[in-house]
Amino acid sequence: MLSILGFLVVLAPLVIVHELGHFLFAKLFKVKAEVFSIGFGPRLFSKQWGETEFRVAVIPLGGFVKLLGEEPGVELSETDKHRALQHQAAWKRFLIFFGGPLFNFLWAGFVFMLILLIGEPQISNQVSRIIQNSAASKIGLKSGDRILAIDDKAITKLDEFMQIISEKPGEKTTLKVQHLHSDLPVLINVVPETQSGYSSYGETKMLGHIDGIYPYARGLKIGVSNPKSVAGIAGIKTGYEAMELNGVQLSTWEQLETVYQRLIPGKKIKFQYKDEIGQIKSTDFVVPSTPRSPGEDLGLFASELFVDKPVEKAPAILAGIRSGDRMVSIDGVKVYGFGSLKEQIQKAGETRGKVKVSWEREGKMMEADIVPQTTRDRDPALNKIITHTIGIIPHLSYVEPDMVIERILNPFMLTYKGFERMVIFTYRNFVSIGKIFSGDVSVSTLGGPILIGKLAGDSLSRGLVAFLTTMAILSVGLGVLNILPVPVLDGGHLVLLGLEMIRGKALTIRQMEIVQQVGLSLILLLMVVVMKNDISRLAIFR
């Protein structure tokens, strides 16, 4: 239902804006507009305003403006000729045809301006979490670091960092990093590993990647898997929430680990926490002579690798894994996060077809060989993929990352940045189309009404900025689609107008009919392709 609502709410303004472009240019040149329709097919309701019938039709997949003399071969009176489309100068007809796509581009620019005026929340350049023993940790990155620049290019958002790194597979790269609680930045050299992925145009290519960087820190939910540990003896249980350590108010599990590492060995420390009914409690413990981690020393783990519940009849429950168990290792390799757990199971499923899983329950280590469950799905290019899982639902607890709000109030800069985004997305659309024709991007990346509805519905659930962003991107796409040199589209009319100017006369009625039939056939073929892609994306057909 949300997809249908999103489709209508997003598409209706884009169609109205597009047809308004044709309509206003026609009125500017005094061409009679007989019908202004939103939608195709039988009318739902209509109203006559002046000489134009404004109409809403049944099929909400577009719209049209019917202009006097638009249909070839129609007899016109002498008084009507000066108001008919085909009797206008070539430059006027060009602007009338181009008005629709032009208004879509302008609308996208204005929507991008509105987004920047409202303020666009973005994850800042602070890395909330670095996974232990990952590639990121081995080069010296730590949880809470701020990445200030890459190869002297300043960055303020994590997206910028990920984008630049993706463009540098296997290339030596220098990061300017500021560690938490440090005033002076340090330089860290890294060579991003190479992995297969998708470019911004949808083509398969090798991308740069640094494993172990997460935008979300872990929450303060506690997991205890050994009742004989310091935490277990103190009565702390899985699901309790950490609050304070050594007088420091905690906000993330990463902070807890950092504070713990700075404790003085042999010193008595107070740990404050909240139980399942919200009662605040505290316990004292003595820091070991060689502190390692809260989990290893105290039995105090983040809840992330604890099983909330196994999926019914899944491989995990058949192997004996139960709620409250702590996942420890996969094929003998210790896991430090749920993401790492999933990756290791996927790799084992692909290479060996089975995986050795180790877990802890009530202080006892257990293990079993498990054959992962396989699920067939499709990637963004609709290629078939197989996902290997064992069927556990983790006790996840995450904290919202540090955010920056991109807001521009200067009207000149606002206009520049808004329309700059429109130009960038327009350019990317044309490049993507070119790559589809060259074979670099698969036609299976194209989407139709179902995909648009899903994207629009998802954006509605994510808030105003996400919704407006989706609308602006789709407005650019609609403008680009209509400007393509395909007969029956606006771009096709512009091509025919160019031929008319070169030949010095318009095509004959028969020639126009042939051209229109070819154009209609191409559009129908495109509709078949995108509908096939849309249907293939539905879960029932995966």
Side-chain angles (χ1 to χ4, degrees), residues 26 30-35 65-71 74-77 79-88:
K30 303 194 185 314
V31 174
K32 183 178 180 181
E34 298 176 323
V35 179
V65 174
K66 183 182 178 184
L67 302 176
L68 179 65
E70 189 174 4
E71 298 175 0
V74 176
E75 293 293 331
L76 299 172
S77 65
T79 55
D80 282 341
K81 280 185 179 180
H82 75 283
R83 301 202 61 200
L85 178 64
Q86 73 264 39
H87 289 281
Q88 304 302 310

Side-chain angles (χ1 to χ4, degrees), residues 14 32 35 67 116 129 159 188 215 217 243 267 277 296 299 316 329 363 402 526 540 542:
L14 303 189
K32 183 178 180 181
V35 179
L67 302 176
L116 293 171
R129 181 185 181 189
D159 268 355
I188 296 177
M243 294 183 67
K267 187 177 180 182
I277 62 173
E296 293 172 297
S329 66
D402 182 57
L526 177 64
I540 192 173
R542 291 180 179 178

Side-chain angles (χ1 to χ4, degrees), residues 148-155 164 168 173-176 187:
L148 305 178
I150 303 177
D151 291 337
D152 295 325
K153 178 179 172 58
I155 63 169
I164 295 172
K168 294 176 174 289
T173 305
T174 301
L175 309 181
K176 186 178 181 180
L187 297 180

Side-chain angles (χ1 to χ4, degrees), residues 34-55:
E34 298 176 323
V35 179
F36 187 112
S37 178
I38 303 303
F40 300 109
R43 74 190 73 183
L44 288 174
F45 58 86
S46 63
K47 183 174 179 61
Q48 189 76 30
W49 283 343
E51 63 185 13
T52 306
E53 177 196 345
F54 290 86
R55 178 191 303 172

Side-chain angles (χ1 to χ4, degrees), residues 5-288:
L5 177 62
F7 178 82
L8 295 175
V9 172
V10 167
L11 194 63
L14 303 189
V15 172
I16 292 171
V17 165
H18 182 90
E19 300 308 331
L20 193 61
H22 295 309
F23 179 77
L24 291 180
F25 274 108
K27 298 297 284 185
L28 177 65
F29 301 130
K30 303 194 185 314
V31 174
K32 183 178 180 181
E34 298 176 323
V35 179
F36 187 112
S37 178
I38 303 303
F40 300 109
R43 74 190 73 183
L44 288 174
F45 58 86
S46 63
K47 183 174 179 61
Q48 189 76 30
W49 283 343
E51 63 185 13
T52 306
E53 177 196 345
F54 290 86
R55 178 191 303 172
V56 175
V58 172
I59 305 172
L61 297 178
F64 63 91
V65 174
K66 183 182 178 184
L67 302 176
L68 179 65
E70 189 174 4
E71 298 175 0
V74 176
E75 293 293 331
L76 299 172
S77 65
E78 289 300 320
T79 55
D80 282 341
K81 280 185 179 180
H82 75 283
R83 301 202 61 200
L85 178 64
Q86 73 264 39
H87 289 281
Q88 304 302 310
W91 66 273
K92 291 183 179 181
R93 280 180 283 156
F94 175 90
L95 289 174
I96 292 171
F97 291 137
F98 186 62
L102 175 64
F103 268 47
N104 279 129
F105 295 133
L106 293 176
W107 178 253
F110 284 125
V111 173
F112 281 130
M113 286 174 60
L114 180 59
I115 292 168
L116 293 171
L117 186 62
I118 293 171
E120 191 174 18
Q122 300 271 359
I123 298 176
S124 76
N125 57 1
Q126 184 176 48
V127 179
S128 295
R129 181 185 181 189
I130 298 296
I131 298 292
Q132 191 175 342
N133 281 1
S134 66
S137 70
K138 289 174 183 176
I139 63 172
L141 288 176
K142 301 174 183 178
S143 299
D145 283 353
R146 285 195 182 274
I147 302 173
L148 305 178
I150 303 177
D151 291 337
D152 295 325
K153 178 179 172 58
I155 63 169
T156 58
K157 298 175 294 186
L158 196 60
D159 268 355
E160 291 177 305
F161 168 74
M162 296 298 189
Q163 178 61 37
I164 295 172
I165 289 298
S166 73
E167 296 167 355
K168 294 176 174 289
E171 296 181 25
K172 185 178 179 181
T173 305
T174 301
L175 309 181
K176 186 178 181 180
V177 176
Q178 186 166 10
H179 294 311
L180 201 63
H181 308 303
S182 174
D183 295 327
L184 296 175
V186 297
L187 297 180
I188 296 177
N189 292 321
V190 60
V191 178
E193 62 184 86
T194 301
Q195 66 176 22
S196 180
Y198 295 93
S199 72
S200 56
Y201 302 114
E203 60 187 325
T204 304
K205 64 181 297 187
M206 303 312 292
L207 303 175
H209 176 68
I210 303 175
D211 183 54
I213 298 175
Y214 280 66
Y216 294 89
R218 288 167 293 176
L220 293 170
K221 290 292 182 183
I222 297 169
V224 177
S225 53
N226 185 355
K228 295 180 180 179
S229 65
V230 174
I233 292 171
I236 301 172
K237 297 179 180 179
T238 298
Y240 286 11
E241 186 175 347
M243 294 183 67
E244 193 175 293
L245 178 62
N246 195 29
V248 178
Q249 194 74 30
L250 302 172
S251 58
T252 69
W253 197 269
E254 278 62 42
Q255 183 189 13
L256 184 152
E257 290 180 335
T258 301
V259 172
Y260 184 81
Q261 291 297 327
R262 295 181 176 182
L263 296 177
I264 300 171
K267 187 177 180 182
K268 192 175 183 179
I269 295 297
K270 177 176 285 188
F271 175 62
Q272 192 176 84
Y273 58 94
K274 190 188 298 183
D275 65 16
E276 73 274 10
I277 62 173
Q279 186 176 352
I280 297 175
K281 298 180 179 180
S282 65
T283 186
D284 295 336
F285 62 84
V286 177
V287 182

Side-chain angles (χ1 to χ4, degrees), residues 71 73 78 244 269 328 387 404 441 450 456 478 482 525 532:
E71 298 175 0
E78 289 300 320
E244 193 175 293
I269 295 297
V328 176
T387 304
V404 292
V441 175
I450 296 175
L478 185 60
N482 275 277
L525 177 62
K532 175 183 174 295

